[in-house]
């Protein structure tokens, strides 16, 4: 049981390049989320999904796309990277049910992205 | 939307002393308040949480208190140890059907041996 797995761990992009951050979980969790973490700003929600085929925007969705074709995978796509997207990205998942308090959120190890 | 303020941003305490981190929130409808610990280069992990129908919750050396009237909640760590050194984040959310946790900006706690 690997939990939440993110790849790659580190990535350097040039402005305008595109890439996909991968996130996979093996806990059969319905809910998955993407956060970015910037110095002095805590974690901010980018996009989330409450099940396969269902996604919604978080606090800072601009510049990012997501899709959820399977329960296990929730990739985050940067279509045209910008220096403002330099950050550490965390994927998280939790078991289903509307009560957040009853279902602990598990985080992946993070992807450190630099956009030059 | 919700706004969570966290203080202090950095905190240094002598080993064995207590540490207190405070958060205030703006949305009176928020009713679930988790705390996360993030060690250097690691992922955030939930360490304790509290719901709005409870004023205090303890788990060994850590405790969380909530004052709904004043809209603030605090993390208390007693008998601090070197392994408590980390960044701590508070968060607030309206529980039920809402994934949009709002996090505080974090407190870097350093335990001085």
């Amino acid at each position: 049981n690997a939990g939440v797995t993110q790849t790659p761990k580190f990535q350097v992009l040039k402005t305008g390049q595109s890439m996909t951050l991968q996130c996979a979980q093996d806990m059969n969790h319905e809910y998955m989320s993407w956060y970015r973490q910037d110095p002095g700003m805590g974690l901010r929600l980018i996009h989330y999904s409450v099940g396969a085929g269902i996604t919604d925007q978080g606090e800072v969705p601009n510049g990012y796309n997501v899709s959820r074709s399977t329960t296990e995978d929730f990739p985050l796509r940067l279509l045209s990277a910008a220096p403002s997207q330099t950050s550490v990205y965390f994927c998280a998942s939790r078991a289903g049910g509307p009560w957040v308090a009853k279902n602990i959120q598990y985080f992946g190890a993070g992807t450190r992205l630099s956009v030059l | 939307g919700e706004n969570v303020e966290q203080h202090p941003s950095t905190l240094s305490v002598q080993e064995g002393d207590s540490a207190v981190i405070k958060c205030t929130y703006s949305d009176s409808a928020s009713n679930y308040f988790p705390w996360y610990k993030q060690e250097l280069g690691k992922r955030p992990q939930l360490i304790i949480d509290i719901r709005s129908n409870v004023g205090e919750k303890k788990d060994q050396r850590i405790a969380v208190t909530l004052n709904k009237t004043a809209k603030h909640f605090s993390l208390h760590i007693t008998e601090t140890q070197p392994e408590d050194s980390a960044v701590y984040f508070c968060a607030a959310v309206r529980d039920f059907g809402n994934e949009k946790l709002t996090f505080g900006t974090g407190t870097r706690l350093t335990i001085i041996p």
Side-chain angles (χ1 to χ4, degrees), chain A residues 16-114:
Chain A
Q17 286 185 317
S18 63
M19 81 158 296
T20 299
L21 307 186
Q22 301 291 345
C23 177
Q25 52 90 10
D26 60 0
M27 298 174 281
N28 202 32
H29 285 170
E30 292 183 34
Y31 288 63
M32 297 186 74
S33 301
W34 276 102
Y35 293 88
R36 60 178 289 173
Q37 184 176 36
D38 301 296
M41 298 191 75
L43 290 154
R44 293 183 292 169
L45 183 65
I46 304 171
H47 285 286
Y48 65 96
S49 169
V50 300
I54 306 170
T55 64
D56 203 350
Q57 295 181 350
E59 181 185 355
V60 288
N62 292 341
Y64 307 95
N65 280 355
V66 293
S67 60
R68 184 95 179 271
S69 56
T70 68
T71 300
E72 294 78 20
D73 300 299
F74 190 41
L76 178 72
R77 280 182 285 276
L78 285 70
L79 299 179
S80 179
S84 60
Q85 294 179 304
T86 294
S87 187
V88 179
Y89 292 85
F90 287 99
C91 178
S93 75
R94 69 173 185 85
W99 295 99
V100 176
K102 290 187 177 180
N103 299 284
I104 296 173
Q105 197 169 49
Y106 294 91
F107 285 85
T111 294
R112 187 173 295 273
L113 176 68
S114 293

Side-chain angles (χ1 to χ4, degrees), chain B residues 1-4 24-33 51-53 66-72 92-95:
Chain B
E2 175 65 277
N3 182 50
V4 176
T24 60
Y25 60 99
S26 62
D27 186 355
S28 56
S30 289
N31 55 4
Y32 175 60
F33 309 92
R51 297 191 196 186
S52 60
N53 59 346
L66 171 66
N67 183 325
K68 287 189 296 182
T69 303
K71 289 190 285 188
H72 68 71
V93 67
R94 297 185 187 190
D95 199 2

Side-chain angles (χ1 to χ4, degrees), chain B residues 29-91:
Chain B
S30 289
N31 55 4
Y32 175 60
F33 309 92
W35 284 88
Y36 292 83
K37 176 183 180 182
Q38 186 178 26
E39 297 176 2
L40 188 62
K42 301 291 182 64
R43 70 195 75 189
Q45 291 189 300
L46 180 71
I47 55 171
I48 196 167
D49 56 13
I50 191 167
R51 297 191 196 186
S52 60
N53 59 346
V54 176
E56 183 177 3
K57 183 177 179 181
K58 290 183 180 180
D59 183 2
Q60 300 183 324
R61 295 186 299 106
I62 60 173
V64 58
T65 58
L66 171 66
N67 183 325
K68 287 189 296 182
T69 303
K71 289 190 285 188
H72 68 71
F73 56 111
S74 299
L75 177 71
H76 305 254
I77 306 174
T78 60
E79 301 174 8
T80 53
Q81 301 171 2
E83 54 265 36
D84 295 330
S85 291
V87 178
Y88 292 82
F89 292 97
C90 62

